[in-house]
Amino acid sequence: MKNIKIYITIIAAALLTVSCEVEDGRNLNGPTTDSITGDLSRGELQETMAGALADMRDRLGTQVDAQAVAGREYWRFQSSDPRWTGDLLTGTLDNNTFYTTNAYAARYATVKDLNLLLTGLENTTADFSAEEIAATRGFANTIKAHELLMLINQQYNNGIRIDVSDPDNLGPFVDLNGSLTAVFELLSSSASDLLNGGNQFPFSIPSGFAIASSPEEFLKFNRALAARVEVYRGNYASANTLLQNSFMDLAGDLYTGVYYTFSLTGADVTNPLFFALNSSGANARIAHPTYITDAEPGDIRVDKAVLREVDDGNGNLVANPVTQSNLTGNYDVFIYESNEDPVAIIRNEELILLYAEANHISNPSVAVSAIDIVRTAAGLPAYSGGTSPNELVDEILMQRRYSLFAEGGHRWIDLRRFGRLDELPLDRPGDATFEQFPTPLTENRG
Amino acid sequence: MKQNNLNHGRLLLFLFLLPCFVFAQNTISGKVTDESGETVPFANVIVKGSSVGTTTSVDGDYSIDVPNLPATLVYSSLGFTTVEQAVSVTGVVNVTMAESAQALDEVVITGLATSIKRSNAANAVAQVSAEDLAGRTPPQTLDGALAGKFAGALVTKSSGAPGGGISVKLRGVTSINGNSQPLYIVDGVYVNNSSISGAGLNFISGAASGGNPSSQDNPSNRIADINPNDIESIEVLKGASAAAIYGSRAAAGVIIITTKKGKRGETKVSFSQDVGWNEIINFKGQRTYTREIAENGFGPGQGDLFAEANNNGSLVDYEQEIYGEKGFITNSTVSVSGGSDSTLFYGAFSNNEEDGIVRNTGYDRKSVRLNVEHKFWDDRAKISVNSNYINSTSDRGFFNNDNTGTTIGVALTSTPPWAQLAPDANGNYPDNPYGGSNPLQTRDLITNREDVNRFITGGTLDFNVYKAENSSLDLQLRAGVDYFELVTTAIFPKELQFQKLSNGGLNGVSALGTTENRDSNFSAFLIHNYRTDSDLSFTTQAGLTKQQFRINTVRNIASNLIASETNLDQAANIAVSQFRQEQEDSGFFAQEELNYQDKFIATVGVRGDKSSNNGDANELFYYPKASLAVNLHEFGFWSENSKWNQLKLRAAYGEAGNFAPNGALFTAYGNSLVGGLPGIVVPVTLGDPTISPERQKEFEAGMDLGFFNNRVSLEATYYNKTVDDLVLQANAQPSSGFSNRWANAGNLENKGIELGLTADVVRSDNFNWSTNILYFTNQSEITQLDVDPFNVGGFGQGLGTFRIEEGESATQIVGNNANGELVVLGDAEPDFQMTFSNNINYKNFDLSFLWHWKNGGDNINLTNLLTDFGQTSPDYDDTGLDPSGELSNGDYRIAAFSAGNATPFVEDASYLRLREIGLYYTFSDKVLEKTFNGFVSNIKLGVSGNNIINIFDYNSYDPEVSNFGSNGLSTGVEVTPFPSSKRYLFHLLVDF
């Protein structure tokens, strides 16, 4: 009997050691979205804003490359993915592969970062002043507008969704004009927020935004983006006014602007648009031969494409062309000197050319003087051609082609909005141009 | 001593209390011994046809009162052949029992704490003995040894890289996104089998930045650490009908491993040494180059370079150069086993070293084991402790997919034989003008190493609470810990072509990943046995279990290194990432088993589980089970001398669970850094806090037939496995900001048949031949899908991808055809698999071999496309692929790719393999006596091989391949893998 008592005690002890309550699982590896949207603290504002700014650069390489290849600015050689010289030059686009889906998803992810931040801002219990909240909202919505604009550039006639804050109830697709209008309105509302934003942002911003580091200065960046949108919409008068209020400086450095920055430190990323000279066909950006042949003699911007040469072992430099998929190129695209060089979001040279375009019908002489600023900087003589709208458009497109070469895939966008995609050279039989990337399959457009 | 008295006392008491039994008491007593003269304690002695019985004492003595004479006494004990002895007079009856090698096969684990005779089991539980596992030829890793050994498994090696990396799928696909690898339990300890990409190779290869977000860096899985030589037997519970009792981690099956234990008697020392080599299975060969081909394929000027190299004889076959090594293999094992009446021990030390077929790759493992078992308190209690320490190092090279042209495999795709890549006298390697890296330089200079230090320790305390004539109650307490530290080191020095600053490289990368993992499990069971008079026995068990899992992985990647240093602080840039996960499960289970005269055996049970992996951690999920086995041959329909001696019909049903993958409950931000400002960014996948685990329901029915006293046995099983509430990472609309979202959104069904035939074909003094043939097949179907069909794994519809679609096979491979329509191009599930294993024994020679035939099952083979683009495909200029007969193979594949036609990339991955073959000679006892005078009890010499004959049509190194590693749906995608190897070994085994 005594034994049985001992046994029961042992059993009970055993059962107790194997207790039944289980703690809820936690995510140990980072904050979750509901903790941000529920209440945004000062520290969290800094982190979410920095996150959105970092995410702006996500898939930038794919985005710019795809547009640049479409616009025949350069060829993108990659031996592990021959679709760069296949689909993107034949115009047979897959709606479910990286060149369609990656940049699209990345831009909307940035929009999501910002939407979560804005919701958290609405629900915040932290000690933000009204000015700080307005400044933050203005900043966030300007970046958001920029991201939507990048999407419109890729999707064009397909239209894009503008209201995407609820993943279970996404807003409808808005057509091209409607979405450009929505972006413009977003820039306008954020401009008024910035005006009420006081003189300091309640968060730090990276060095690429140095010229836009206060609400007042940032407003000029906002106006610059708005000017670009207005020019795309054809609202030249409005664009003209906006440019006056932007950071455009006809006498200033053409490279003044707002930039994406990159670094090798830690979790930071390197410039995806940089490749060393003489890169092999594994990964290279090869300038389209017409970039060199179409240039006006004396144009120093041609040096953005560097002849590929290697030492033959005897001290002589010999040509080092590279071939892939029946395309042979002799010139590397080399506008970034290292993988930490910044990439322009929008800069003075583009603003000057937008200024030229905004005035080319109403005030051709103003347009010509703006063009001449760019021409002079490029080592060319002053413009001596005709001033009819068509001729000026020819000249402006030419200048944009060389000034903004390989920077944001501008050539494709510009030719497209003037209906001139047929001017693009087709290198091989079966090649063709295309107007926009398809809506990704998983968008379930229906 | 005490037990003996107690028995006697109880017996007398029994007689006192129930006078009706006191009729004519005939006492039989005696001693039970085994063939070597040792006593057999605790053997059961019962009067046949009655419930009168007793057990022998520690000394093998027994005394039993038989009601009527003549009678038959039945002597049985685990590990011995049952003896029936007719007795006609009272007196002394001494009995000798023979050890039965087959007896071990007879026991199968059903509950967490109980086992059952195989002849009574209601499930088709596969058992792999030590002989089957490692007896023919020693496998490199444990998971590799499982292929072809039992029915119902699809075992796929991810690559030939030394150190493992294997996926084991039991009865088809269990989950799309969740875990699909079985639970491994070693001596009651839950053992970790994760695959951890510690080194962050993706930083170099950029594999995740292209068409598929997986890092594709081919990590090994941790089950490879277990030394196959330590294993006594493996039991495989293939689905929920058998594994339900293990609850929410058992949906993909449970593999129960029992290690070797000591045996009572003289201490035996055993020493074995294996020596051998491995080499590639077969080379793919080279393209036949001409000046024209060189010029057209590689650009102007290359034709001259080719001609020059051809004339000088300086063409290099880079495939031979990289994959042509013969790796040296040596395995040494020493084991000591023995025991006394109360204590048994088994200790072993193993050292395995194997070089790979690529220079600077290889796998080393040292393993130390000590298993001790001790009985005390009059043998009422038993404590057993199993402990194992493993230290392993594997160097795996740098292979598989990338987006930077840096892995050795991808670099080879564009490197022609006239490239001069060898280093100069000072060890300087030239840059490879044909690719992003110089494969010789990469092979020689990089380090990609996994170091593992692991302790697996478990202890069990069995305690017999009370024991009566007809019943007994036992308590079992169990605890186990699996602790390992995995250190992954990847060093890419700055001299590498793709690291040089002038080539836009990072000037050297040193990556160090440290993973600390601790899994522990505790359980307590009560087992009650009760036997009625009419030979109806009840086994009741109930218990509680608790498991805790902790993992902490820290990855450091340092780039821009100082000089030739590799310490992480000797660098300009350091990126750190950390991943932590803690999980806790707690559960209870209860099971009741009825056995009516071995005619009907019915089991009913339920497991309740709660886990921190569920949205509500304290919500209990119930997993029931039920089974019935009917041994028709016990009914007496059969005559004693029938040739057909066994017919068992069985059916079983059970449910088991599978957690949603870690992180499915949350939408956790990721990290970012810009301009020195740390930030948080939305992840790719939207979480669902209301997600519940997947539930598998399996129904299994079958029959076992035995003929000629089980000399020929046939086993047939049909199963139907459905998985409800599949956790799917469905495509989210990307404009939501997420590319994927988690949801319980589908049902999956697997149906299949397993047939097995075992036969002792010839059994004579000098010649024995036994054979085992297995045939099994499985078909899966997505029976319900609440989200839109989506592609998973692979690289898009233009190259072939898996697709989850309602009404279709879960493993279907789809792609665009020549007309641009999305069609089904294949299925990764084999049509059927067959294995054929034979043991032939002639005098002292033993020959055994295992053939494995996998028929059907397709792979997505993208290696040839990459070599086509690199103009190096061996079959580039051959014809046969193009249906119109116009284009050469290489041109056809490229054209198909350009047109988005995925048809040529889906290939049949059938194979017929001689997986294992071994020929051994055992020296006869007489020779040993003469030569060694009894000091040496056994010497065995042998030669064996692994993967010796491989027959397949597949156009690459090996159809068993997986670019995406072992977990997940998409095994069978190939992108320039590490080729598989075959092994030849010589053996010496000496027992002292």
Side-chain angles (χ1 to χ4, degrees):
Chain A
M1 289 304 116
K2 192 168 126 194
N3 285 347
I4 292 181
K5 278 198 194 141
I6 296 175
Y7 306 151
I8 291 176
T9 327
I10 294 173
I11 292 168
L15 291 178
L16 281 173
T17 60
V18 188
S19 65
C20 280
E21 277 301 307
V22 171
E23 265 180 40
D24 265 333
R26 299 170 292 142
N27 181 47
L28 300 170
N29 300 303
T32 56
T33 51
D34 23 315
S35 64
I36 296 295
T37 51
D39 183 357
L40 190 71
S41 70
R42 242 176 223 282
E44 285 167 342
L45 171 60
Q46 174 66 65
E47 285 150 17
T48 45
M49 192 60 86
L53 289 167
D55 251 359
M56 275 180 88
R57 311 165 302 171
D58 193 19
R59 307 295 188 171
L60 185 63
T62 312
Q63 180 181 306
V64 172
D65 281 343
Q67 289 170 203
V69 169
R72 272 68 180 173
E73 292 184 60
Y74 55 78
W75 295 318
R76 177 73 169 88
F77 287 178
Q78 186 175 51
S79 54
S80 59
D81 209 321
R83 286 174 283 196
W84 288 113
T85 46
D87 304 7
L88 289 165
L89 290 173
T90 61
T92 323
L93 300 173
D94 186 331
N95 68 353
N96 195 24
T97 192
F98 72 98
Y99 48 72
T100 302
T101 56
N102 285 7
Y104 184 96
R107 300 286 69 79
Y108 271 116
T110 316
V111 169
K112 187 69 183 174
D113 287 330
L114 293 161
N115 280 340
L116 291 169
L117 185 162
L118 289 165
T119 311
L121 199 62
E122 281 169 34
N123 296 331
T124 187
T125 58
D127 59 345
F128 292 114
S129 69
E131 283 179 337
E132 287 177 318
I133 292 186
T136 308
R137 209 168 39 223
F139 189 103
N141 279 325
T142 304
I143 304 294
K144 183 166 152 184
H146 174 266
E147 296 299 281
L148 290 171
L149 181 62
M150 297 296 105
L151 284 160
I152 295 170
N153 283 341
Q154 293 234 318
Q155 291 290 307
Y156 210 58
N157 286 315
N158 296 330
I160 59 166
R161 293 193 211 264
I162 302 289
D163 170 23
V164 290
S165 38
D166 181 357
D168 297 315
N169 267 316
L170 295 168
F173 277 88
V174 179
D175 70 355
L176 174 63
N177 288 328
S179 27
L180 282 171
T181 309
V183 166
F184 181 70
E185 283 168 1
L186 192 57
L187 286 167
S188 306
S189 73
S190 45
S192 30
D193 272 329
L194 288 163
L195 277 169
N196 297 326
N199 50 12
Q200 210 184 357
F201 287 115
F203 47 85
S204 309
I205 46 184
S207 59
F209 284 76
I211 66 156
S213 52
S214 71
E216 209 183 306
E217 298 298 308
F218 191 83
L219 180 60
K220 295 184 186 168
F221 165 59
N222 174 304
R223 301 291 78 195
L225 286 177
R228 187 200 267 177
V229 174
E230 286 294 69
V231 167
Y232 285 176
R233 290 168 86 198
N235 297 339
Y236 290 137
S238 167
N240 201 10
T241 321
L242 289 165
L243 284 164
Q244 305 301 338
N245 293 325
S246 75
F247 64 86
M248 178 180 75
D249 184 356
L250 294 170
D253 183 354
L254 293 178
Y255 281 88
T256 304
V258 175
Y259 287 80
Y260 300 108
T261 47
F262 303 92
S263 155
L264 285 159
T265 321
D268 208 337
V269 299
T270 55
N271 182 338
L273 293 168
F274 163 77
F275 281 146
L277 289 170
N278 288 305
S279 293
S280 74
N283 267 308
R285 293 184 174 91
I286 303 299
H288 198 281
T290 56
Y291 181 75
I292 291 86
T293 55
D294 288 351
E296 246 186 81
D299 189 341
I300 64 169
R301 294 170 296 185
V302 164
D303 296 342
K304 294 182 186 179
V306 176
L307 181 66
R308 292 171 64 95
E309 287 176 318
V310 282
D311 192 311
D312 67 352
N314 296 326
N316 304 321
L317 287 173
V318 291
N320 179 27
V322 61
T323 304
Q324 204 172 90
S325 315
N326 293 330
L327 301 164
T328 306
N330 284 290
Y331 289 85
D332 283 325
V333 172
F334 199 68
I335 57 173
Y336 304 111
E337 311 223 334
S338 82
N339 57 7
E340 288 185 294
D341 271 11
V343 169
I345 297 174
I346 188 166
R347 62 185 177 89
N348 199 16
E349 194 166 358
E350 184 189 344
L351 296 182
I352 294 174
L353 287 166
L354 287 172
Y355 184 58
E357 192 178 335
N359 286 293
H360 84 279
I361 299 177
S362 55
N363 214 336
S365 53
V366 167
V368 169
S369 54
I371 291 168
D372 281 339
I373 295 172
V374 170
R375 286 180 65 96
T376 313
L380 294 172
Y383 178 64
S384 56
T387 53
S388 73
N390 248 3
E391 288 164 313
L392 282 176
V393 166
D394 284 347
E395 178 61 17
I396 289 169
L397 286 176
M398 178 76 160
Q399 296 312 314
R400 284 181 72 94
R401 175 184 178 185
Y402 281 86
S403 287
L404 304 176
F405 173 67
E407 281 187 37
H410 287 275
R411 186 169 184 218
W412 180 59
I413 299 170
D414 295 333
L415 287 177
R416 176 179 63 189
R417 60 194 175 86
F418 281 102
R420 293 186 183 207
L421 284 176
D422 51 5
E423 284 180 16
L424 286 172
L426 300 174
D427 311 298
R428 311 163 299 187
D431 282 354
T433 59
F434 57 91
E435 278 224 316
Q436 62 262 327
F437 292 88
T439 308
L441 176 69
T442 49
E443 195 57 52
N444 288 336
R445 194 161 180 167
Chain B
M1 279 296 119
K2 214 167 154 190
Q3 181 78 333
N4 205 4
N5 285 340
L6 226 59
N7 262 344
H8 272 277
R10 282 201 178 126
L11 211 52
L12 283 169
L13 201 63
F14 196 68
L15 294 169
F16 253 95
L17 293 175
L18 297 163
C20 48
F21 273 102
V22 184
F23 231 98
Q25 285 306 322
N26 304 298
T27 309
I28 311 277
S29 61
K31 202 182 185 82
V32 180
T33 53
D34 69 14
E35 287 177 322
S36 59
E38 300 289 325
T39 58
V40 181
F42 311 123
N44 293 313
V45 185
I46 61 169
V47 179
K48 188 165 182 176
S50 84
S51 62
V52 178
T54 184
T55 51
T56 61
S57 69
V58 172
D59 301 323
D61 295 317
Y62 75 95
S63 176
I64 185 170
D65 285 312
V66 181
N68 295 307
L69 283 177
T72 309
L73 292 177
V74 181
Y75 300 78
S76 64
S77 181
L78 207 58
F80 294 91
T81 323
T82 305
V83 173
E84 293 190 11
Q85 179 77 40
V87 290
S88 44
V89 291
T90 61
V92 172
V93 178
N94 291 330
V95 169
T96 312
M97 298 183 73
E99 267 187 44
S100 169
Q102 277 202 316
L104 276 171
D105 293 357
E106 284 190 357
V107 173
V108 149
I109 293 179
T110 48
L112 277 173
T114 57
S115 51
I116 194 178
K117 278 201 301 191
R118 171 169 276 276
S119 52
N120 291 340
N123 282 98
V125 176
Q127 192 168 62
V128 185
S129 64
E131 193 57 39
D132 275 333
L133 187 70
R136 246 176 252 115
T137 182
Q140 189 188 74
T141 62
L142 170 60
D143 36 7
L146 295 173
K149 305 286 167 64
F150 52 90
L154 179 59
V155 178
T156 314
K157 226 172 12 180
S158 307
S159 77
I166 294 185
S167 128
V168 176
K169 290 204 175 75
L170 299 174
R171 291 191 173 163
V173 157
T174 304
S175 175
I176 309 295
N177 287 308
N179 172 50
S180 62
Q181 296 302 298
L183 179 63
Y184 287 85
I185 300 184
V186 176
D187 294 327
V189 182
Y190 281 59
V191 161
N192 185 295
N193 184 31
S194 49
S195 292
I196 299 166
S197 300
L201 289 177
N202 183 48
F203 185 69
I204 305 285
S205 73
S209 55
N212 190 301
S214 155
S215 69
Q216 300 161 61
D217 57 6
N218 194 28
S220 62
N221 41 333
R222 295 274 54 78
I223 205 65
D225 298 331
I226 312 285
N227 183 1
N229 279 325
D230 283 346
I231 295 178
E232 180 68 57
S233 73
I234 293 184
E235 254 170 48
V236 183
L237 308 183
K238 300 178 217 171
S241 60
I245 212 69
Y246 288 90
S248 47
R249 288 182 186 264
V254 182
I255 294 186
I256 301 171
I257 296 171
T258 312
T259 55
K260 292 179 176 161
K261 306 290 190 298
K263 288 204 180 64
R264 253 180 351 95
E266 256 181 43
T267 305
K268 289 199 184 112
V269 177
S270 180
F271 170 73
S272 83
Q273 174 68 45
D274 306 327
V275 163
W277 79 92
N278 58 28
E279 57 187 43
I280 193 174
I281 288 182
N282 37 248
F283 289 100
K284 282 167 71 172
Q286 292 260 298
R287 183 179 183 185
T288 319
Y289 290 95
T290 63
R291 197 202 186 90
E292 202 183 319
I293 289 175
E295 190 80 13
N296 291 339
F298 290 86
Q302 295 298 319
D304 290 334
L305 287 174
F306 163 74
E308 199 185 310
N310 199 12
N311 292 336
N312 291 345
S314 60
L315 288 176
V316 180
D317 182 345
Y318 283 102
E319 187 190 32
Q320 277 277 351
E321 184 63 37
I322 299 276
Y323 300 126
E325 302 291 317
K326 287 194 169 43
F328 177 66
I329 304 173
T330 167
N331 298 326
S332 321
T333 307
V334 177
S335 70
V336 181
S337 126
S340 69
D341 288 336
S342 55
T343 312
L344 300 173
F345 72 93
Y346 173 81
F349 169 75
S350 266
N351 181 26
N352 306 73
E353 287 176 35
E354 181 163 340
D355 291 334
I357 57 173
V358 175
R359 214 182 292 170
N360 286 338
T361 62
Y363 182 63
D364 291 345
R365 178 180 62 223
K366 292 177 178 47
S367 158
V368 177
R369 171 174 288 279
L370 182 63
N371 293 345
V372 177
E373 201 179 281
H374 178 68
K375 293 189 184 132
F376 55 99
W377 287 350
D378 246 353
D379 292 337
R380 288 182 70 161
K382 181 172 89 169
I383 182 155
S384 52
V385 175
N386 310 302
S387 56
N388 185 209
Y389 166 70
I390 302 134
N391 172 284
S392 77
T393 305
S394 94
D395 287 293
R396 299 168 69 81
F398 188 38
F399 291 86
N400 277 33
N401 193 22
D402 76 2
N403 279 311
T404 48
T406 49
T407 62
I408 295 174
V410 173
L412 282 177
T413 63
S414 58
T415 306
W418 58 91
Q420 301 303 322
L421 300 178
D424 66 12
N426 289 329
N428 299 317
Y429 291 80
D431 280 0
N432 181 2
Y434 303 98
S437 64
N438 177 340
L440 299 183
Q441 183 190 39
T442 312
R443 173 196 67 183
D444 293 339
L445 297 185
I446 64 141
T447 304
N448 178 16
R449 171 172 300 160
E450 291 180 357
D451 281 295
V452 177
N453 276 302
R454 189 171 192 179
F455 293 87
I456 302 175
T457 309
T460 309
L461 175 65
D462 289 286
F463 181 66
N464 177 255
V465 180
Y466 78 84
K467 198 182 176 85
E469 179 99 26
N470 286 344
S471 63
S472 65
L473 179 65
D474 294 278
L475 169 70
Q476 190 180 89
L477 299 175
R478 193 182 277 168
V481 167
D482 176 10
Y483 174 83
F484 72 80
E485 189 195 45
L486 166 69
V487 175
T488 49
T489 312
I491 299 176
F492 293 82
K494 55 177 67 178
E495 291 80 31
L496 288 166
Q497 175 182 343
F498 53 94
Q499 288 294 317
K500 286 187 198 166
L501 285 172
S502 53
N503 288 334
L506 296 166
N507 202 27
V509 170
S510 172
L512 180 72
T514 311
T515 302
E516 249 196 324
N517 185 86
R518 193 183 79 227
D519 297 346
S520 49
N521 62 292
F522 309 92
S523 46
F525 314 109
L526 279 173
I527 306 119
H528 182 258
N529 282 297
Y530 178 65
R531 187 193 207 91
T532 70
D533 297 340
S534 51
D535 206 5
L536 172 66
S537 69
F538 296 87
T539 306
T540 316
Q541 57 177 303
L544 297 171
T545 66
K546 190 179 183 76
Q547 289 99 37
Q548 289 173 333
F549 306 89
R550 269 168 181 62
I551 187 167
N552 185 359
T553 303
V554 178
R555 282 187 203 96
N556 307 284
I557 303 181
S559 59
N560 201 348
L561 301 177
I562 293 173
S564 56
E565 297 301 313
T566 56
N567 271 11
L568 296 170
D569 58 341
Q570 300 293 311
N573 308 298
I574 304 178
V576 179
S577 70
Q578 181 179 10
F579 173 79
R580 282 189 300 149
Q581 189 185 354
E582 291 174 6
Q583 305 173 46
E584 198 175 309
D585 298 348
S586 178
F588 73 89
F589 74 97
Q591 181 178 283
E592 180 71 46
E593 186 187 296
L594 275 87
N595 182 329
Y596 178 62
Q597 300 178 353
D598 273 356
K599 291 177 187 162
F600 290 101
I601 304 101
T603 312
V604 157
V606 69
R607 167 139 182 157
D609 245 1
K610 49 167 95 162
S611 169
S612 63
N613 280 335
N614 297 323
D616 177 2
N618 283 304
E619 184 183 347
L620 269 174
F621 289 87
Y622 294 95
Y623 301 106
K625 68 173 270 194
S627 68
L628 176 66
V630 180
N631 278 323
L632 286 173
H633 54 276
E634 297 280 348
F635 278 77
F637 305 151
W638 269 257
S639 72
E640 278 296 311
N641 297 322
S642 167
K643 292 207 173 58
W644 186 3
N645 68 300
Q646 183 196 29
L647 173 61
K648 175 169 78 173
L649 299 177
R650 49 183 164 81
Y653 173 81
E655 295 183 16
N658 202 14
F659 290 125
N662 174 56
L665 295 174
F666 328 99
T667 310
Y669 276 101
N671 278 6
S672 68
L673 187 69
V674 61
L677 300 168
I680 51 180
V681 290
V682 290
V684 166
T685 310
L686 178 63
D688 182 357
T690 61
I691 208 160
S692 56
E694 300 175 348
R695 178 173 288 268
Q696 183 194 110
K697 301 174 182 166
E698 189 191 39
F699 172 73
E700 185 193 285
M703 67 172 138
D704 295 353
L705 290 88
F707 301 91
F708 305 108
N709 208 19
N710 281 344
R711 247 182 89 167
V712 176
S713 58
L714 181 64
E715 193 183 285
T717 307
Y718 163 79
Y719 62 85
N720 181 315
K721 201 168 93 157
T722 57
V723 180
D724 293 341
D725 287 338
L726 274 178
V727 173
L728 297 178
Q729 203 178 63
N731 284 327
Q733 292 154 299
S735 56
S736 66
F738 302 98
S739 295
N740 307 306
R741 57 191 308 165
W742 291 112
N744 290 107
N747 293 349
L748 159 67
E749 184 186 53
N750 277 295
K751 286 194 278 209
I753 297 174
E754 295 165 7
L755 299 172
L757 172 69
T758 311
D760 273 344
V761 183
V762 178
R763 214 196 264 172
S764 72
D765 282 337
N766 278 339
F767 183 72
N768 292 308
W769 175 24
S770 68
T771 181
N772 176 287
I773 304 175
L774 297 174
Y775 169 92
F776 52 101
T777 173
N778 181 74
Q779 263 182 316
S780 64
E781 184 185 331
I782 303 284
T783 48
Q784 185 184 321
L785 193 62
D786 299 332
V787 298
D788 291 320
F790 59 94
N791 297 336
V792 67
F795 295 94
Q797 287 165 201
L799 291 170
T801 174
F802 292 82
R803 186 173 178 80
I804 305 302
E805 208 176 334
E806 188 167 324
E808 302 292 330
S809 160
T811 48
Q812 63 167 348
I813 301 174
V814 305
N816 297 328
N817 66 2
N819 300 328
E821 302 152 0
L822 184 64
V823 294
V824 175
L825 295 171
D827 195 324
E829 186 82 59
D831 295 335
F832 64 84
Q833 290 186 71
M834 279 190 77
T835 69
F836 185 50
S837 75
N838 286 280
N839 287 317
I840 299 173
N841 168 266
Y842 175 68
K843 293 199 185 164
N844 285 345
F845 286 92
D846 285 289
L847 172 68
S848 67
F849 52 91
L850 169 68
W851 285 94
H852 183 178
W853 179 22
K854 169 176 166 263
N855 186 301
D858 301 308
N859 278 3
I860 300 174
N861 182 352
L862 297 173
T863 306
N864 293 324
L865 180 63
L866 288 182
T867 50
D868 288 336
F869 283 116
Q871 296 286 319
T872 56
S873 302
D875 70 334
Y876 195 104
D877 305 303
D878 301 336
T879 53
L881 271 185
D882 183 3
S884 71
E886 282 173 17
L887 296 171
S888 69
N889 286 354
D891 287 333
Y892 175 68
R893 282 188 293 249
I894 294 178
F897 167 79
S898 309
N901 174 9
T903 324
F905 307 116
V906 179
E907 282 187 52
D908 188 342
S910 304
Y911 57 78
L912 173 62
R913 255 200 237 284
L914 177 60
R915 272 202 190 274
E916 298 180 0
I917 181 165
L919 175 64
Y920 292 87
Y921 177 77
T922 312
F923 285 88
S924 69
D925 292 336
K926 282 190 284 193
V927 174
L928 290 174
E929 266 303 310
K930 262 201 313 197
T931 332
F932 295 102
N933 239 356
F935 182 58
V936 174
S937 65
N938 187 26
I939 299 185
K940 207 155 115 168
L941 284 177
V943 57
S944 74
N946 178 263
N947 282 348
I948 303 301
I949 301 176
N950 300 280
I951 302 170
F952 51 82
D953 268 340
Y954 185 71
N955 189 5
S956 186
Y957 294 110
D958 190 343
E960 237 189 272
V961 66
S962 170
N963 183 47
F964 293 101
S966 54
N967 213 344
L969 186 63
S970 50
T971 47
V973 178
E974 163 169 344
V975 188
T976 60
F978 192 122
S980 308
S981 52
K982 57 172 96 157
R983 299 152 96 228
Y984 298 92
L985 291 160
F986 297 94
H987 308 280
L988 169 66
L989 174 75
V990 184
D991 290 332
F992 298 97

